Amino acid sequence: MIQFLNEYPETLPIDERRVSAWIKRTAARYGRHVGRINYLFCTDERILEVNRQFLAHDYYTDIITFDYGEGDTVAGDLFISVDTVRSNAEQYGACFEDELHRVIIHGVLHLCGQDDKAPADRAEMTRKENLALEEWADMLAP
């Protein structure tokens, strides 16, 4: 089950049914199936609070992923700062919706076991994000 919970003060452009199907498809590519995934869309201040409280980090970020998966089941809570996603989109010259989908799938890739701490791992994460985003575009094509 995938839930999208919005604490952000604006409605977000997320087609929950399609995004859920995309998430399941992406997890399946890595031999996983989806258990319970909760996306919580929030402000910078909320994600900073979560970062401080649970990770002892004192900085803003676009996503924090708490992985509760076991075996081949992906499950977790994913906090996404809409503020940071918006500023990243501006910084990278991307549209907000594309950047939001990138961060959504980034969290799923973490749940599937992809790390992004080392430079080589970050490059692999980006490659996998781009592949998933191509599939997303294909799913939207008529």
Side-chain angles (χ1 to χ4, degrees):
M1 174 181 188
I2 302 170
Q3 288 189 311
F4 300 91
L5 309 166
N6 189 9
E7 283 186 359
Y8 199 72
E10 298 172 19
T11 301
L12 299 173
I14 299 172
D15 181 333
E16 293 181 11
R17 185 186 57 76
R18 278 186 166 167
V19 170
S20 294
W22 177 49
I23 289 167
K24 290 174 184 175
R25 182 185 260 179
T26 300
R29 163 180 287 122
Y30 300 102
R32 308 292 176 93
H33 65 272
V34 171
R36 184 177 188 89
I37 298 176
N38 297 308
Y39 282 93
L40 182 86
F41 299 95
C42 60
T43 63
D44 268 351
E45 292 311 311
R46 174 74 164 116
I47 208 159
L48 181 60
E49 177 186 309
V50 171
N51 221 358
R52 286 175 175 161
Q53 182 178 357
F54 295 101
L55 303 175
H57 297 160
D58 192 23
Y59 55 81
Y60 299 103
T61 187
D62 52 0
I63 186 169
I64 298 174
T65 303
F66 294 98
D67 185 351
Y68 307 128
E70 293 183 12
D72 63 355
T73 301
V74 294
D77 292 331
L78 296 90
F79 289 77
I80 295 178
S81 170
V82 176
D83 296 324
T84 299
V85 170
R86 191 176 310 283
S87 63
N88 286 349
E90 291 171 12
Q91 179 182 347
Y92 301 129
C95 81
F96 169 73
E97 204 168 324
D98 290 345
E99 187 65 15
L100 182 61
H101 286 103
R102 178 177 295 279
V103 174
I104 287 170
I105 212 64
H106 179 93
V108 172
L109 292 170
H110 274 308
L111 295 177
C112 288
Q114 179 65 46
D115 195 8
D116 61 357
K117 300 252 186 267
D121 291 335
R122 273 193 300 278
E124 183 64 8
M125 174 70 87
T126 300
R127 186 188 72 74
K128 289 177 177 178
E129 289 170 358
N130 290 338
L131 179 62
L133 289 166
E134 288 173 15
E135 288 182 349
W136 173 249
D138 290 346
M139 287 176 69
L140 297 177

mmCIF file of all heavy atoms in Angstrom, residues 1-5 19-20 22-24 26-27 32-41 63-69 73-80 104-105 107-112:
data_model
loop_
_atom_site.group_PDB
_atom_site.id
_atom_site.type_symbol
_atom_site.label_atom_id
_atom_site.label_comp_id
_atom_site.label_asym_id
_atom_site.label_seq_id
_atom_site.Cartn_x
_atom_site.Cartn_y
_atom_site.Cartn_z
ATOM 1 N N MET A 1 0.841 -1.175 0.000
ATOM 2 C CA MET A 1 0.000 0.000 0.000
ATOM 3 C C MET A 1 0.889 1.242 0.000
ATOM 4 O O MET A 1 1.841 1.337 0.776
ATOM 5 C CB MET A 1 -0.895 -0.012 1.235
ATOM 6 C CG MET A 1 -1.702 1.223 1.389
ATOM 7 S SD MET A 1 -2.674 1.065 2.897
ATOM 8 C CE MET A 1 -3.674 2.486 2.744
ATOM 9 N N ILE A 2 0.579 2.172 -0.860
ATOM 10 C CA ILE A 2 1.327 3.418 -0.965
ATOM 11 C C ILE A 2 0.383 4.556 -0.604
ATOM 12 O O ILE A 2 -0.702 4.662 -1.168
ATOM 13 C CB ILE A 2 1.896 3.609 -2.384
ATOM 14 C CG1 ILE A 2 2.805 2.430 -2.746
ATOM 15 C CG2 ILE A 2 2.642 4.937 -2.481
ATOM 16 C CD1 ILE A 2 3.225 2.389 -4.191
ATOM 17 N N GLN A 3 0.818 5.377 0.357
ATOM 18 C CA GLN A 3 0.010 6.525 0.763
ATOM 19 C C GLN A 3 0.782 7.811 0.505
ATOM 20 O O GLN A 3 1.998 7.861 0.694
ATOM 21 C CB GLN A 3 -0.333 6.463 2.249
ATOM 22 C CG GLN A 3 -1.340 5.411 2.595
ATOM 23 C CD GLN A 3 -1.791 5.576 4.041
ATOM 24 O OE1 GLN A 3 -0.984 5.701 4.944
ATOM 25 N NE2 GLN A 3 -3.099 5.582 4.222
ATOM 26 N N PHE A 4 0.050 8.829 0.091
ATOM 27 C CA PHE A 4 0.607 10.152 -0.145
ATOM 28 C C PHE A 4 -0.069 11.105 0.835
ATOM 29 O O PHE A 4 -1.270 11.345 0.726
ATOM 30 C CB PHE A 4 0.344 10.588 -1.591
ATOM 31 C CG PHE A 4 0.955 9.646 -2.595
ATOM 32 C CD1 PHE A 4 0.230 8.572 -3.091
ATOM 33 C CD2 PHE A 4 2.255 9.838 -3.039
ATOM 34 C CE1 PHE A 4 0.790 7.702 -4.015
ATOM 35 C CE2 PHE A 4 2.827 8.967 -3.958
ATOM 36 C CZ PHE A 4 2.095 7.904 -4.449
ATOM 37 N N LEU A 5 0.709 11.602 1.783
ATOM 38 C CA LEU A 5 0.179 12.469 2.822
ATOM 39 C C LEU A 5 0.771 13.860 2.623
ATOM 40 O O LEU A 5 1.993 14.011 2.575
ATOM 41 C CB LEU A 5 0.553 11.919 4.200
ATOM 42 C CG LEU A 5 0.199 10.437 4.409
ATOM 43 C CD1 LEU A 5 0.891 9.880 5.635
ATOM 44 C CD2 LEU A 5 -1.299 10.270 4.496
ATOM 45 N N VAL A 19 1.385 7.160 -10.170
ATOM 46 C CA VAL A 19 2.660 7.162 -9.454
ATOM 47 C C VAL A 19 2.810 5.860 -8.668
ATOM 48 O O VAL A 19 3.888 5.268 -8.642
ATOM 49 C CB VAL A 19 2.804 8.409 -8.553
ATOM 50 C CG1 VAL A 19 4.014 8.286 -7.629
ATOM 51 C CG2 VAL A 19 2.922 9.676 -9.406
ATOM 52 N N SER A 20 1.748 5.376 -8.064
ATOM 53 C CA SER A 20 1.808 4.103 -7.337
ATOM 54 C C SER A 20 2.174 2.955 -8.269
ATOM 55 O O SER A 20 3.007 2.103 -7.923
ATOM 56 C CB SER A 20 0.481 3.819 -6.643
ATOM 57 O OG SER A 20 0.241 4.754 -5.622
ATOM 58 N N TRP A 22 3.844 3.184 -11.034
ATOM 59 C CA TRP A 22 5.240 3.410 -11.412
ATOM 60 C C TRP A 22 6.193 2.939 -10.309
ATOM 61 O O TRP A 22 7.206 2.295 -10.584
ATOM 62 C CB TRP A 22 5.406 4.890 -11.728
ATOM 63 C CG TRP A 22 6.770 5.373 -12.073
ATOM 64 C CD1 TRP A 22 7.642 4.836 -12.980
ATOM 65 C CD2 TRP A 22 7.425 6.519 -11.532
ATOM 66 N NE1 TRP A 22 8.777 5.592 -13.033
ATOM 67 C CE2 TRP A 22 8.677 6.629 -12.157
ATOM 68 C CE3 TRP A 22 7.051 7.471 -10.584
ATOM 69 C CZ2 TRP A 22 9.574 7.663 -11.869
ATOM 70 C CZ3 TRP A 22 7.942 8.501 -10.305
ATOM 71 C CH2 TRP A 22 9.178 8.584 -10.936
ATOM 72 N N ILE A 23 5.866 3.233 -9.077
ATOM 73 C CA ILE A 23 6.686 2.809 -7.943
ATOM 74 C C ILE A 23 6.748 1.281 -7.897
ATOM 75 O O ILE A 23 7.817 0.691 -7.726
ATOM 76 C CB ILE A 23 6.135 3.391 -6.627
ATOM 77 C CG1 ILE A 23 6.385 4.899 -6.581
ATOM 78 C CG2 ILE A 23 6.718 2.681 -5.408
ATOM 79 C CD1 ILE A 23 5.620 5.625 -5.485
ATOM 80 N N LYS A 24 5.609 0.630 -8.051
ATOM 81 C CA LYS A 24 5.567 -0.836 -8.026
ATOM 82 C C LYS A 24 6.387 -1.425 -9.169
ATOM 83 O O LYS A 24 7.111 -2.416 -8.978
ATOM 84 C CB LYS A 24 4.121 -1.319 -8.093
ATOM 85 C CG LYS A 24 3.358 -1.029 -6.817
ATOM 86 C CD LYS A 24 1.882 -1.372 -6.959
ATOM 87 C CE LYS A 24 1.119 -0.971 -5.712
ATOM 88 N NZ LYS A 24 -0.325 -1.166 -5.849
ATOM 89 N N THR A 26 8.926 -0.002 -10.681
ATOM 90 C CA THR A 26 10.347 0.246 -10.411
ATOM 91 C C THR A 26 10.870 -0.752 -9.382
ATOM 92 O O THR A 26 11.948 -1.335 -9.562
ATOM 93 C CB THR A 26 10.556 1.700 -9.926
ATOM 94 O OG1 THR A 26 10.115 2.597 -10.947
ATOM 95 C CG2 THR A 26 12.025 1.969 -9.604
ATOM 96 N N ALA A 27 10.134 -0.973 -8.314
ATOM 97 C CA ALA A 27 10.555 -1.943 -7.300
ATOM 98 C C ALA A 27 10.694 -3.337 -7.915
ATOM 99 O O ALA A 27 11.660 -4.058 -7.626
ATOM 100 C CB ALA A 27 9.564 -1.960 -6.140
ATOM 101 N N ARG A 32 11.920 -6.580 -6.143
ATOM 102 C CA ARG A 32 11.234 -6.264 -4.898
ATOM 103 C C ARG A 32 9.736 -6.097 -5.145
ATOM 104 O O ARG A 32 9.304 -5.844 -6.260
ATOM 105 C CB ARG A 32 11.763 -4.947 -4.302
ATOM 106 C CG ARG A 32 13.261 -4.872 -4.152
ATOM 107 C CD ARG A 32 13.780 -5.850 -3.097
ATOM 108 N NE ARG A 32 15.219 -5.854 -3.007
ATOM 109 C CZ ARG A 32 15.915 -5.122 -2.171
ATOM 110 N NH1 ARG A 32 15.312 -4.309 -1.344
ATOM 111 N NH2 ARG A 32 17.225 -5.205 -2.151
ATOM 112 N N HIS A 33 8.968 -6.218 -4.086
ATOM 113 C CA HIS A 33 7.553 -5.865 -4.167
ATOM 114 C C HIS A 33 7.256 -4.863 -3.059
ATOM 115 O O HIS A 33 7.993 -4.760 -2.067
ATOM 116 C CB HIS A 33 6.627 -7.093 -4.144
ATOM 117 C CG HIS A 33 6.660 -7.854 -2.876
ATOM 118 N ND1 HIS A 33 7.552 -8.871 -2.619
ATOM 119 C CD2 HIS A 33 5.898 -7.739 -1.761
ATOM 120 C CE1 HIS A 33 7.340 -9.351 -1.418
ATOM 121 N NE2 HIS A 33 6.346 -8.689 -0.864
ATOM 122 N N VAL A 34 6.187 -4.128 -3.251
ATOM 123 C CA VAL A 34 5.868 -3.014 -2.368
ATOM 124 C C VAL A 34 5.006 -3.467 -1.205
ATOM 125 O O VAL A 34 3.970 -4.097 -1.397
ATOM 126 C CB VAL A 34 5.165 -1.888 -3.160
ATOM 127 C CG1 VAL A 34 4.621 -0.808 -2.237
ATOM 128 C CG2 VAL A 34 6.126 -1.285 -4.176
ATOM 129 N N GLY A 35 5.451 -3.129 -0.018
ATOM 130 C CA GLY A 35 4.661 -3.292 1.198
ATOM 131 C C GLY A 35 3.982 -1.958 1.485
ATOM 132 O O GLY A 35 3.319 -1.395 0.620
ATOM 133 N N ARG A 36 4.225 -1.420 2.657
ATOM 134 C CA ARG A 36 3.618 -0.135 3.031
ATOM 135 C C ARG A 36 4.655 0.977 2.862
ATOM 136 O O ARG A 36 5.691 0.967 3.536
ATOM 137 C CB ARG A 36 3.124 -0.179 4.459
ATOM 138 C CG ARG A 36 2.400 1.074 4.878
ATOM 139 C CD ARG A 36 1.863 0.940 6.307
ATOM 140 N NE ARG A 36 1.022 2.052 6.624
ATOM 141 C CZ ARG A 36 -0.290 2.111 6.401
ATOM 142 N NH1 ARG A 36 -0.905 1.076 5.868
ATOM 143 N NH2 ARG A 36 -0.985 3.174 6.723
ATOM 144 N N ILE A 37 4.352 1.923 1.980
ATOM 145 C CA ILE A 37 5.200 3.098 1.775
ATOM 146 C C ILE A 37 4.346 4.336 2.030
ATOM 147 O O ILE A 37 3.264 4.477 1.461
ATOM 148 C CB ILE A 37 5.784 3.145 0.348
ATOM 149 C CG1 ILE A 37 6.673 1.922 0.085
ATOM 150 C CG2 ILE A 37 6.578 4.441 0.147
ATOM 151 C CD1 ILE A 37 7.213 1.852 -1.334
ATOM 152 N N ASN A 38 4.844 5.193 2.907
ATOM 153 C CA ASN A 38 4.161 6.452 3.209
ATOM 154 C C ASN A 38 5.035 7.612 2.753
ATOM 155 O O ASN A 38 6.172 7.749 3.221
ATOM 156 C CB ASN A 38 3.925 6.592 4.720
ATOM 157 C CG ASN A 38 3.013 5.520 5.245
ATOM 158 O OD1 ASN A 38 1.926 5.309 4.730
ATOM 159 N ND2 ASN A 38 3.467 4.824 6.274
ATOM 160 N N TYR A 39 4.502 8.402 1.840
ATOM 161 C CA TYR A 39 5.163 9.639 1.438
ATOM 162 C C TYR A 39 4.535 10.768 2.229
ATOM 163 O O TYR A 39 3.317 10.912 2.245
ATOM 164 C CB TYR A 39 4.943 9.910 -0.053
ATOM 165 C CG TYR A 39 5.824 9.087 -0.947
ATOM 166 C CD1 TYR A 39 5.389 7.871 -1.448
ATOM 167 C CD2 TYR A 39 7.088 9.528 -1.297
ATOM 168 C CE1 TYR A 39 6.197 7.115 -2.275
ATOM 169 C CE2 TYR A 39 7.905 8.776 -2.120
ATOM 170 C CZ TYR A 39 7.459 7.572 -2.607
ATOM 171 O OH TYR A 39 8.252 6.822 -3.420
ATOM 172 N N LEU A 40 5.377 11.568 2.880
ATOM 173 C CA LEU A 40 4.885 12.724 3.609
ATOM 174 C C LEU A 40 5.537 13.967 2.995
ATOM 175 O O LEU A 40 6.752 14.136 3.086
ATOM 176 C CB LEU A 40 5.235 12.636 5.092
ATOM 177 C CG LEU A 40 4.680 13.807 5.875
ATOM 178 C CD1 LEU A 40 3.249 13.501 6.291
ATOM 179 C CD2 LEU A 40 5.540 14.110 7.062
ATOM 180 N N PHE A 41 4.725 14.795 2.355
ATOM 181 C CA PHE A 41 5.197 16.016 1.708
ATOM 182 C C PHE A 41 5.096 17.150 2.721
ATOM 183 O O PHE A 41 4.030 17.368 3.305
ATOM 184 C CB PHE A 41 4.383 16.295 0.453
ATOM 185 C CG PHE A 41 4.498 15.186 -0.548
ATOM 186 C CD1 PHE A 41 3.555 14.172 -0.592
ATOM 187 C CD2 PHE A 41 5.581 15.122 -1.404
ATOM 188 C CE1 PHE A 41 3.671 13.123 -1.492
ATOM 189 C CE2 PHE A 41 5.714 14.071 -2.302
ATOM 190 C CZ PHE A 41 4.751 13.066 -2.354
ATOM 191 N N ILE A 63 14.906 14.898 0.715
ATOM 192 C CA ILE A 63 14.207 13.675 1.126
ATOM 193 C C ILE A 63 14.950 12.993 2.272
ATOM 194 O O ILE A 63 16.179 12.999 2.316
ATOM 195 C CB ILE A 63 14.038 12.689 -0.062
ATOM 196 C CG1 ILE A 63 13.176 11.475 0.341
ATOM 197 C CG2 ILE A 63 15.383 12.282 -0.634
ATOM 198 C CD1 ILE A 63 12.745 10.616 -0.831
ATOM 199 N N ILE A 64 14.178 12.434 3.165
ATOM 200 C CA ILE A 64 14.696 11.552 4.213
ATOM 201 C C ILE A 64 13.907 10.263 4.102
ATOM 202 O O ILE A 64 12.674 10.270 4.109
ATOM 203 C CB ILE A 64 14.536 12.155 5.619
ATOM 204 C CG1 ILE A 64 15.330 13.455 5.743
ATOM 205 C CG2 ILE A 64 14.966 11.142 6.682
ATOM 206 C CD1 ILE A 64 15.115 14.188 7.052
ATOM 207 N N THR A 65 14.630 9.159 4.002
ATOM 208 C CA THR A 65 14.003 7.852 3.826
ATOM 209 C C THR A 65 14.256 6.991 5.052
ATOM 210 O O THR A 65 15.402 6.761 5.430
ATOM 211 C CB THR A 65 14.585 7.155 2.573
ATOM 212 O OG1 THR A 65 14.382 7.994 1.435
ATOM 213 C CG2 THR A 65 13.932 5.807 2.340
ATOM 214 N N PHE A 66 13.181 6.534 5.657
ATOM 215 C CA PHE A 66 13.263 5.577 6.760
ATOM 216 C C PHE A 66 12.835 4.227 6.195
ATOM 217 O O PHE A 66 11.684 4.052 5.786
ATOM 218 C CB PHE A 66 12.362 5.993 7.920
ATOM 219 C CG PHE A 66 12.798 7.267 8.578
ATOM 220 C CD1 PHE A 66 12.201 8.472 8.256
ATOM 221 C CD2 PHE A 66 13.830 7.257 9.516
ATOM 222 C CE1 PHE A 66 12.608 9.652 8.859
ATOM 223 C CE2 PHE A 66 14.244 8.432 10.128
ATOM 224 C CZ PHE A 66 13.635 9.634 9.797
ATOM 225 N N ASP A 67 13.771 3.300 6.156
ATOM 226 C CA ASP A 67 13.556 1.995 5.527
ATOM 227 C C ASP A 67 13.104 0.981 6.577
ATOM 228 O O ASP A 67 13.820 0.709 7.540
ATOM 229 C CB ASP A 67 14.865 1.543 4.890
ATOM 230 C CG ASP A 67 14.751 0.268 4.092
ATOM 231 O OD1 ASP A 67 13.697 -0.400 4.146
ATOM 232 O OD2 ASP A 67 15.731 -0.074 3.407
ATOM 233 N N TYR A 68 11.902 0.408 6.359
ATOM 234 C CA TYR A 68 11.368 -0.613 7.251
ATOM 235 C C TYR A 68 11.185 -1.946 6.521
ATOM 236 O O TYR A 68 10.514 -2.840 7.032
ATOM 237 C CB TYR A 68 10.015 -0.189 7.825
ATOM 238 C CG TYR A 68 10.027 1.176 8.481
ATOM 239 C CD1 TYR A 68 9.101 2.146 8.128
ATOM 240 C CD2 TYR A 68 10.980 1.515 9.438
ATOM 241 C CE1 TYR A 68 9.110 3.403 8.711
ATOM 242 C CE2 TYR A 68 11.002 2.768 10.029
ATOM 243 C CZ TYR A 68 10.061 3.708 9.663
ATOM 244 O OH TYR A 68 10.078 4.950 10.241
ATOM 245 N N GLY A 69 11.763 -2.051 5.336
ATOM 246 C CA GLY A 69 11.587 -3.246 4.523
ATOM 247 C C GLY A 69 12.287 -4.456 5.102
ATOM 248 O O GLY A 69 13.248 -4.343 5.869
ATOM 249 N N THR A 73 10.618 -7.189 0.341
ATOM 250 C CA THR A 73 9.521 -6.228 0.471
ATOM 251 C C THR A 73 10.081 -4.855 0.814
ATOM 252 O O THR A 73 10.830 -4.713 1.781
ATOM 253 C CB THR A 73 8.530 -6.655 1.573
ATOM 254 O OG1 THR A 73 8.005 -7.941 1.242
ATOM 255 C CG2 THR A 73 7.396 -5.665 1.717
ATOM 256 N N VAL A 74 9.730 -3.863 0.001
ATOM 257 C CA VAL A 74 10.130 -2.491 0.299
ATOM 258 C C VAL A 74 9.019 -1.829 1.103
ATOM 259 O O VAL A 74 7.843 -1.963 0.794
ATOM 260 C CB VAL A 74 10.468 -1.665 -0.964
ATOM 261 C CG1 VAL A 74 11.702 -2.219 -1.652
ATOM 262 C CG2 VAL A 74 9.317 -1.605 -1.939
ATOM 263 N N ALA A 75 9.432 -1.144 2.151
ATOM 264 C CA ALA A 75 8.491 -0.445 3.019
ATOM 265 C C ALA A 75 9.246 0.682 3.706
ATOM 266 O O ALA A 75 10.445 0.568 3.969
ATOM 267 C CB ALA A 75 7.910 -1.403 4.058
ATOM 268 N N GLY A 76 8.534 1.765 3.979
ATOM 269 C CA GLY A 76 9.192 2.848 4.687
ATOM 270 C C GLY A 76 8.378 4.116 4.709
ATOM 271 O O GLY A 76 7.298 4.202 4.110
ATOM 272 N N ASP A 77 8.919 5.085 5.435
ATOM 273 C CA ASP A 77 8.368 6.433 5.483
ATOM 274 C C ASP A 77 9.351 7.351 4.774
ATOM 275 O O ASP A 77 10.555 7.328 5.085
ATOM 276 C CB ASP A 77 8.194 6.898 6.932
ATOM 277 C CG ASP A 77 7.114 6.136 7.672
ATOM 278 O OD1 ASP A 77 6.152 5.681 7.019
ATOM 279 O OD2 ASP A 77 7.227 6.003 8.908
ATOM 280 N N LEU A 78 8.827 8.150 3.851
ATOM 281 C CA LEU A 78 9.663 9.056 3.067
ATOM 282 C C LEU A 78 9.146 10.473 3.250
ATOM 283 O O LEU A 78 8.009 10.774 2.874
ATOM 284 C CB LEU A 78 9.649 8.664 1.589
ATOM 285 C CG LEU A 78 10.248 7.284 1.296
ATOM 286 C CD1 LEU A 78 9.188 6.215 1.357
ATOM 287 C CD2 LEU A 78 10.908 7.281 -0.048
ATOM 288 N N PHE A 79 9.976 11.308 3.850
ATOM 289 C CA PHE A 79 9.652 12.717 4.042
ATOM 290 C C PHE A 79 10.275 13.494 2.899
ATOM 291 O O PHE A 79 11.486 13.384 2.669
ATOM 292 C CB PHE A 79 10.223 13.226 5.371
ATOM 293 C CG PHE A 79 9.525 12.692 6.580
ATOM 294 C CD1 PHE A 79 9.753 11.409 7.031
ATOM 295 C CD2 PHE A 79 8.631 13.500 7.281
ATOM 296 C CE1 PHE A 79 9.111 10.915 8.157
ATOM 297 C CE2 PHE A 79 7.979 13.016 8.407
ATOM 298 C CZ PHE A 79 8.216 11.720 8.843
ATOM 299 N N ILE A 80 9.462 14.274 2.197
ATOM 300 C CA ILE A 80 9.954 15.073 1.075
ATOM 301 C C ILE A 80 9.660 16.541 1.355
ATOM 302 O O ILE A 80 8.504 16.918 1.569
ATOM 303 C CB ILE A 80 9.298 14.638 -0.249
ATOM 304 C CG1 ILE A 80 9.729 13.210 -0.592
ATOM 305 C CG2 ILE A 80 9.668 15.610 -1.377
ATOM 306 C CD1 ILE A 80 9.100 12.650 -1.855
ATOM 307 N N ILE A 104 10.698 11.439 -5.634
ATOM 308 C CA ILE A 104 9.815 10.321 -5.271
ATOM 309 C C ILE A 104 10.497 8.993 -5.596
ATOM 310 O O ILE A 104 10.532 8.074 -4.766
ATOM 311 C CB ILE A 104 8.450 10.444 -5.978
ATOM 312 C CG1 ILE A 104 7.621 11.568 -5.338
ATOM 313 C CG2 ILE A 104 7.692 9.109 -5.954
ATOM 314 C CD1 ILE A 104 6.362 11.932 -6.111
ATOM 315 N N ILE A 105 11.056 8.865 -6.799
ATOM 316 C CA ILE A 105 11.661 7.592 -7.194
ATOM 317 C C ILE A 105 13.011 7.396 -6.520
ATOM 318 O O ILE A 105 13.429 6.264 -6.270
ATOM 319 C CB ILE A 105 11.716 7.444 -8.732
ATOM 320 C CG1 ILE A 105 11.562 5.975 -9.121
ATOM 321 C CG2 ILE A 105 12.962 8.062 -9.323
ATOM 322 C CD1 ILE A 105 10.243 5.344 -8.767
ATOM 323 N N GLY A 107 13.663 7.982 -3.443
ATOM 324 C CA GLY A 107 13.351 7.291 -2.194
ATOM 325 C C GLY A 107 13.091 5.810 -2.395
ATOM 326 O O GLY A 107 13.534 4.976 -1.600
ATOM 327 N N VAL A 108 12.395 5.470 -3.465
ATOM 328 C CA VAL A 108 12.119 4.059 -3.766
ATOM 329 C C VAL A 108 13.426 3.316 -4.038
ATOM 330 O O VAL A 108 13.619 2.185 -3.573
ATOM 331 C CB VAL A 108 11.160 3.930 -4.972
ATOM 332 C CG1 VAL A 108 11.032 2.478 -5.414
ATOM 333 C CG2 VAL A 108 9.801 4.504 -4.626
ATOM 334 N N LEU A 109 14.333 3.956 -4.757
ATOM 335 C CA LEU A 109 15.621 3.321 -5.037
ATOM 336 C C LEU A 109 16.405 3.075 -3.746
ATOM 337 O O LEU A 109 17.064 2.044 -3.604
ATOM 338 C CB LEU A 109 16.420 4.163 -6.037
ATOM 339 C CG LEU A 109 15.818 4.211 -7.441
ATOM 340 C CD1 LEU A 109 16.530 5.255 -8.287
ATOM 341 C CD2 LEU A 109 15.847 2.843 -8.110
ATOM 342 N N HIS A 110 16.322 4.007 -2.801
ATOM 343 C CA HIS A 110 16.935 3.757 -1.488
ATOM 344 C C HIS A 110 16.295 2.532 -0.845
ATOM 345 O O HIS A 110 17.006 1.675 -0.307
ATOM 346 C CB HIS A 110 16.766 4.960 -0.557
ATOM 347 C CG HIS A 110 17.818 5.998 -0.695
ATOM 348 N ND1 HIS A 110 19.165 5.733 -0.636
ATOM 349 C CD2 HIS A 110 17.717 7.337 -0.883
ATOM 350 C CE1 HIS A 110 19.853 6.842 -0.773
ATOM 351 N NE2 HIS A 110 18.989 7.846 -0.932
ATOM 352 N N LEU A 111 14.973 2.440 -0.893
ATOM 353 C CA LEU A 111 14.287 1.284 -0.301
ATOM 354 C C LEU A 111 14.667 -0.023 -0.997
ATOM 355 O O LEU A 111 14.602 -1.093 -0.383
ATOM 356 C CB LEU A 111 12.773 1.481 -0.343
ATOM 357 C CG LEU A 111 12.213 2.630 0.495
ATOM 358 C CD1 LEU A 111 10.706 2.741 0.293
ATOM 359 C CD2 LEU A 111 12.557 2.472 1.972
ATOM 360 N N CYS A 112 15.066 0.078 -2.265
ATOM 361 C CA CYS A 112 15.495 -1.103 -3.021
ATOM 362 C C CYS A 112 16.970 -1.436 -2.786
ATOM 363 O O CYS A 112 17.493 -2.387 -3.361
ATOM 364 C CB CYS A 112 15.250 -0.898 -4.517
ATOM 365 S SG CYS A 112 13.510 -0.942 -4.978
#
